[in-house]
Amino acid sequence: MAETRAETIKTVLRVTSGNFLEMFDFFLFGIYASHIAATFFPNDNPFVSLMVTFLSFAAGFVMRPIGALTLGPYIDRIGRRKGLIVTLLIMAMGTVLIAFVPSYATIGIAAPILVLIGRLLQGFSAGVELGGVSVYLSEMATPGRKGFYVSWQSASQQVAIVVAALLGFLLNKILMPQQISDWGWRIPFFVGCMIIPFIFIIRRSLQETKEFAARKHQPDTREIFRTLFTNWPVVLGGVGMVMMTTVSFYLITVYTPSFGKTVLHLTESQALLVTMAVGVSNFIWLPIAGAVSDIIGRKAILIAFTVLAVLTAYPALSWLVSDITFGHMLIVELWLSFIYAWYNGAMVVALTEVVPVTVRTAGFSLAYSLATTLGGSSLAISTFAIEATGDKAAPGYWMSFAAVCGLVATLFLYRRKSTPAAEGKTAAPHA
């Protein structure tokens, strides 16, 4: 039993390693947004420079649905293991490109174009990376523990957040601000490049899931697209569910360093400490939420925490901006982390259950990618909303809207009672 448990842990680590790299690189872009703006997108107006940087960040999310439609059917046809290796290679190309592109002052307009290409490659890969990982974990899970297993997909992202924030915090202690702005911000990106070979080696040792290997019929691409089209209401409902996850996640993690520094005028070190605390909080709550959803079902948790987000997101941020302190920011961010982690711990596994099995990777990835196109734009949307309204708590409205989307989608997908799924007391939604 101990040997089996050890092998299971190793498999989970191999599967989620690429997820770690994806979020590590994405999060670095948020931490160093102001430095990236000055390096690649210089402008006399700091707001314009930052907005263009956030729009280039968002461009990667526009590529996600394309990646989902291209790579999703490919993975559903050839297998989970081979697909996860392909996504890692594409993601690595984008990471290396961003890390080594010279500045605008050195090569002119080619600099922002190359950075944009790097973001597009990362987005194309990420369009199916998360779906591939979630499906792999759901198919390897032991009976009654699918929620717990799948939750480690999101938990691996939190480790990346903590590591990235810790690196940023240490750089702020070691280097002078001008050194960080000139070249120091690239160091964490170089670290990401050095991680790539290690992750590639451990992913190559993955075995195909038994569930996929046992199938007697593997659908071709045309059949996969036909099934996706037939089940478009399920995909659309999945988009609504994921909206709550992506918006809240990017607000409390990737946006936090910029929000704390440029909006609340706290120090960069303070904002990074809050971000590290959020990552730790998410890491703790996610597996707990996934395990609880195996016991009481997904629906109750999804409804409870979307309602909680609608009622408290804007009031919490309003309280913060009315009296800005490090302690208040920490309290508010940890509260929003609690809401996000519990919702997401039940949502991701629920999405793997509602999508038809023959298009599980493609359907999951498409729904997730379409939602992330908007959720990943939260940095630009929040920055614009604050500038347009003059209300520093305006991102709370955006999170509340996303929570309403999640609530409506949950009620739609679970609108009829059906036979409980194999996962303990979990009721499978009507699809």
Side-chain angles (χ1 to χ4, degrees), residues 141-165:
T142 54
R145 303 194 70 188
K146 185 176 288 188
F148 177 72
Y149 272 71
V150 176
S151 68
W152 288 103
Q153 173 270 118
S154 298
S156 69
Q157 296 181 347
Q158 314 314 314
V159 178
I161 289 167
V162 173
V163 172

Side-chain angles (χ1 to χ4, degrees), residues 61-116:
F61 294 99
V62 176
M63 284 296 293
R64 285 195 174 202
I66 299 174
L69 287 172
T70 304
L71 297 176
Y74 175 73
I75 294 178
D76 280 325
R77 182 166 51 85
I78 68 158
R80 317 309 187 198
R81 175 188 174 276
K82 293 180 181 179
L84 288 176
I85 293 175
V86 171
T87 60
L88 177 61
L89 290 173
I90 297 173
M91 189 190 310
M93 288 189 290
T95 299
V96 171
L97 191 59
I98 293 175
F100 289 93
V101 171
S103 68
Y104 184 92
T106 302
I107 62 173
I109 192 64
I113 291 175
L114 289 172
V115 169
L116 180 60

Side-chain angles (χ1 to χ4, degrees), residues 201-382:
I201 291 171
I202 63 176
R203 268 213 172 168
R204 288 192 64 187
S205 63
L206 276 176
Q207 300 296 315
E208 186 56 77
T209 65
K210 293 180 180 179
E211 182 176 331
F212 182 89
R215 289 185 202 159
K216 296 181 179 179
H217 171 67
Q218 306 298 348
D220 57 27
T221 301
R222 180 178 298 180
E223 186 178 345
I224 289 172
F225 276 108
R226 188 187 306 120
T227 305
L228 281 175
F229 180 78
T230 302
N231 289 274
W232 68 265
V234 176
V235 174
L236 189 61
V239 171
M241 289 176 67
V242 179
M243 271 290 292
M244 165 63 181
T245 278
T246 56
V247 169
S248 57
F249 176 75
Y250 283 100
L251 283 181
I252 66 174
T253 56
V254 182
Y255 183 59
T256 290
S258 294
F259 182 66
K261 180 182 175 182
T262 62
V263 179
L264 303 183
H265 303 296
L266 297 173
T267 67
E268 191 167 7
S269 294
Q270 287 176 321
L272 289 172
L273 281 174
V274 171
T275 306
M276 279 189 279
V278 167
V280 172
S281 170
N282 291 343
F283 183 81
I284 293 171
W285 288 119
L286 279 163
I288 294 174
V292 172
S293 77
D294 286 329
I295 299 171
I296 69 173
R298 325 293 184 207
K299 181 180 178 181
I301 295 176
L302 296 176
I303 291 176
F305 284 90
T306 49
V307 170
L308 207 54
V310 171
L311 295 177
T312 67
Y314 180 78
L317 285 173
S318 295
W319 176 72
L320 168 60
V321 301
S322 67
D323 185 13
I324 299 172
T325 66
F326 169 77
H328 287 177
M329 185 180 184
L330 180 62
I331 291 171
V332 170
E333 293 284 346
L334 288 178
W335 170 248
L336 297 180
S337 160
F338 175 73
I339 294 175
Y340 153 77
W342 272 85
Y343 177 83
N344 191 66
M347 188 283 299
V348 177
V349 65
L351 190 55
T352 66
E353 293 167 345
V354 303
V355 177
V357 64
T358 55
V359 293
R360 185 173 281 163
T361 303
F364 182 106
S365 299
L366 180 59
Y368 213 102
S369 298
L370 288 171
T372 307
T373 300
L374 283 173
S377 302
S378 293
L379 287 75
I381 291 172
S382 297

Side-chain angles (χ1 to χ4, degrees), residues 30-58:
I31 290 179
Y32 298 107
S34 59
H35 304 301
I36 291 172
T39 303
F40 300 117
F41 307 97
N43 191 282
D44 294 336
N45 187 333
F47 168 71
V48 173
S49 181
L50 193 61
M51 276 298 295
V52 173
T53 302
F54 284 155
L55 287 174
S56 70
F57 180 81

